[in-house]
Each structure stands twice: as structure tokens, then as C-alpha cells.
Amino acid sequence: MALLLNVTDPERIEAFEKAFRDFPVRLVRSDEGYDARDIHYIFTWQPVDDWARFPNLRVVFSVSAGVDQFSTLPGHVDLIKMVDGNNTQYVVDYVLAACLACLRRFPVYATRQGQRLWQPDPPRSLANSEIAILGLGEIGQATARALCALGCRVSGWSRSGRDIPGIACAGGEAGYLSLLPTADIVVCLLPLTPQTHGLLSGAFFDRMKPGAALVHAGRGAQCVFRDLGDALRTGQLGVAVIDVFDREPLPEDSEIWGFPNCLITPHVAGRTDAGTAAANVAQNLTRLRQGRDLLWRVDRQKGY
Ligand code: NDP
């Protein structure tokens, strides 16, 4: 039994070597020679070039919480998403910082600083704001709880329509529509699936409260960036903080860099902790050997 570490980060490799020291699974690094037929498990961020090279592959462990990049993985191979409390907390912190930046208009002041323009806007407080969270999974729920604790009114949308105390929850395909007209900030923490692809479009922005803000930390392809630029230009969207893009790294000549009232971050909302990742994989491989169900298994039909 061998686990291919399809990562190059020395910190991650070291964490696996430590966690698997006395483990009955051989670790294989991607830069060493190996026979692909020996590989039963792969830990990776990106899909490999050709899954058919690995005829005995049983489980792929994703480095990330998002797993949309694995759509070509054969159906018989289990796909495991990363669930990491540290990563969740990083995203929660990012969203809190982004919401405060939106309410206090930091992206606008950053632009004005470049123009040497002294122009104050009225402040807004978290306590008087309504925040709608799209996606109430592991990360969305933790974010919703943190915002509730700070006194915001929080609403949220999930596919199934979850019931979470203190949060006004909507469900179903069009459930988000009821949240948009009153939200001061919309936060996207959805997985990328055919249903969420292109969701943040002109029609979506038109339904939002005029001048409201967007925080987008889901996946880039959920946003129609041309429409986002238009909504920021007309002021329909007052301000935005965007972490994910349809092309990453965002090309130097992308017009997105020049969007007004928009703060761009380079996909840094979350980061998987190396030690937690290694421990999660070891825990799941132990369960597999004991004949127990795998944790954090992706529902391939739903795509997350
Ligand atoms: P989960 O799988 O735990 O939760 C996903 C949530 O989205 C669930 O509430 C689910 O509904 C909801 N959802 C999925 N599809 C739909 C739909 N069509 N309509 C309405 N709701 C839907 O995911 P996580 O919380 O772990 O992660 C969410 C996403 O955050 C990741 O997939 C990734 O894209 C992004 N992410 C970004 C990071 C960054 O650095 N920018 C870091 C980490 C994650 P239900 O509850 O009914 O199943």
C-alpha cells in the first residue's frame, strides 16, 4: 500500500513523514521514481494528468476544502475533502476583516489615497448590519456564528435549508433571492458546482440592496467578473472584497485589477495546516483498515 504525496511544499512532506513514521503505508514523493500501479492513495491539490495511469487508486485526499478541480476523477475512486479547524478559522477571520473593511469602506479609501484625496464617508457598524452568507457548510456556519456573536443580523442560504439557531435560513434553488434585497453584505462561501457556476451575475447584483457589499471567498468561476465590474462602476455594488478568480494567478493585464471600490487578495482566505492534513489522512487510512466509513467523503453527485 502506498500513498503518493503529490505536493512539493517541504512543510507538508515533513508533516506526513512524521505522522506516518510507524504507519503501515509507504509514502512516495512525486519527485522520486515509482510504479503508478503501486499507488493506492494520493494526497494532492490538483488532479494528476491522467488518472488511468493509477489502476489501483482507491482514495484521493484533497489538500483543500474545495474539490471542484477533481471533476475528472473516476467515479469508483473515493474523494475526501479537507476539513481543518485552523483553515476554517482562517476563513472566518478573513470574512470578519473583509466585512469590517467593507463597512468602513477601506477599499474606497485605498483608491482615494492613491489620488491624495481627503474625502470621508459616513461609518457603518457591524452591529447595525445584516449579512447574508451563501453556503452554510463547515466554513459558512462557523462564519455565521462569529458574525452573530458580534451582533450582526445574519441570514444564510444552503441547498437543504438548514435550521441554525439565530440565523434566518433559506433553502432551495432560488432561496438566496429572498436574502439579497435586505443584506448590507453578501458573503459567498459556496463550493463550485454546475448549480453555483456564474451565480454572482448582473441579475444577482441587481437584486441586491443598492450600494451593498460583496465578499467573495468561494471559487472564482461563481462570479461573472464583467458584471461585477459594471455593478461596482454604477454603484449598485458599493464595495467588494474578492479572494478567488476565474484565472489564478490573476493575469497582470486582467481588467479586474482596475475595478473601482474593490479590494483584491490572492486566494489567501484559508490555508490548510500541514500537521492537520497529515493527521486527517492517517485517521482516514486507519478507519479504512478497520473497515469503517471514511470521514469527509465528497458526494460525487452533489459535487461537494
Ligand atoms: P461544505 O461542503 O461544508 O458546505 C457547502 C455549503 O454550500 C453547504 O451548506 C451546502 O448546502 C451549500 N451549497 C452547495 N451547493 C449549493 C447550492 N446549489 N445552493 C445552495 N447551497 C449550496 O463546504 P465548506 O464550508 O468546507 O467550504 C465551502 C467552500 O469554501 C469550498 O468549497 C471552497 O470553494 C471555499 N473555500 C475557499 C477558501 C479560500 O481560501 N478562499 C478556503 C476554503 C474553502 P447543504 O448544507 O444543504 O449541503
Side-chain angles (χ1 to χ4, degrees):
M1 294 285 173
L3 165 65
L4 174 65
L5 298 178
N6 193 34
V7 289
T8 49
D9 181 350
E11 190 195 348
R12 291 208 165 117
I13 291 168
E14 201 178 304
F16 271 83
E17 283 170 351
K18 204 165 152 201
F20 280 74
R21 195 167 290 148
D22 302 315
F23 209 83
V25 167
R26 184 165 64 89
L27 292 183
V28 176
R29 291 165 54 146
S30 55
D31 58 359
E32 65 183 90
Y34 62 88
D35 184 339
R37 288 171 302 185
D38 293 340
I39 303 297
H40 294 89
Y41 319 110
I42 302 181
F43 175 68
T44 186
W45 159 247
Q46 286 299 336
V48 298
D49 292 340
D50 179 12
W51 293 113
R53 275 182 58 223
F54 298 90
N56 297 312
L57 185 61
R58 291 187 189 173
V59 188
V60 167
F61 295 95
S62 170
V63 173
S64 57
V67 290
D68 46 280
Q69 65 274 36
F70 295 111
S71 58
T72 59
L73 183 69
H76 69 274
V77 179
D78 279 321
L79 176 59
I80 306 295
K81 64 173 270 187
M82 183 53 61
V83 174
D84 165 17
N86 295 309
N87 183 34
T88 299
Q89 190 56 49
Y90 280 134
V91 182
V92 171
D93 292 352
Y94 177 94
V95 173
L96 295 187
C99 287
L100 283 167
C102 288
L103 290 172
R104 302 310 302 262
R105 301 183 54 77
F106 281 5
V108 177
Y109 291 129
T111 305
R112 289 182 190 159
Q113 182 176 340
Q115 300 162 344
R116 299 174 177 253
L117 184 61
W118 183 274
Q119 186 184 327
D121 290 331
R124 296 217 42 182
S125 102
L126 268 182
N128 295 321
S129 300
E130 181 174 321
I131 302 185
I133 300 183
L134 310 183
L136 289 174
E138 195 72 25
I139 297 172
Q141 283 192 45
T143 305
R145 280 194 298 273
L147 286 165
C148 275
L150 292 170
C152 314
R153 293 187 305 284
V154 181
S155 60
W157 178 50
S158 65
R159 186 171 162 131
S160 56
R162 296 195 179 224
D163 186 12
I164 306 167
I167 295 164
C169 294
E173 208 176 303
Y176 68 96
L177 289 174
S178 65
L179 312 181
L180 299 186
T182 53
D184 298 294
I185 305 176
V186 173
V187 177
C188 182
L189 290 172
L190 286 163
L192 179 61
T193 66
Q195 290 75 37
T196 65
H197 190 279
L199 178 76
L200 308 178
S201 65
F204 181 102
F205 301 132
D206 285 347
R207 296 240 180 196
M208 286 173 67
K209 188 173 170 176
L214 174 73
V215 175
H216 184 25
R219 280 289 179 268
Q222 289 159 344
C223 184
V224 181
F225 282 92
R226 197 183 47 246
D227 294 358
L228 174 69
D230 289 345
L232 285 163
R233 251 186 299 274
T234 62
Q236 172 57 19
L237 263 183
V239 63
V241 176
I242 310 292
D243 188 49
V244 287
F245 301 88
D246 40 9
R247 285 172 66 198
E248 294 181 2
L250 187 60
E252 223 174 278
D253 62 355
S254 169
E255 63 162 3
I256 300 172
W257 290 109
F259 283 177
N261 316 346
C262 183
L263 183 71
I264 287 175
T265 55
H267 202 146
V268 290
R271 169 156 173 87
T272 299
D273 178 75
T276 311
N280 282 6
V281 173
Q283 183 184 359
N284 249 336
L285 289 181
T286 302
R287 290 176 72 96
L288 199 64
R289 289 175 58 232
Q290 293 168 341
R292 298 164 69 198
D293 282 345
L294 290 165
L295 299 169
W296 314 301
R297 192 201 299 249
V298 173
D299 180 330
R300 304 294 297 283
Q301 287 295 322
K302 289 201 285 187
Y304 65 96

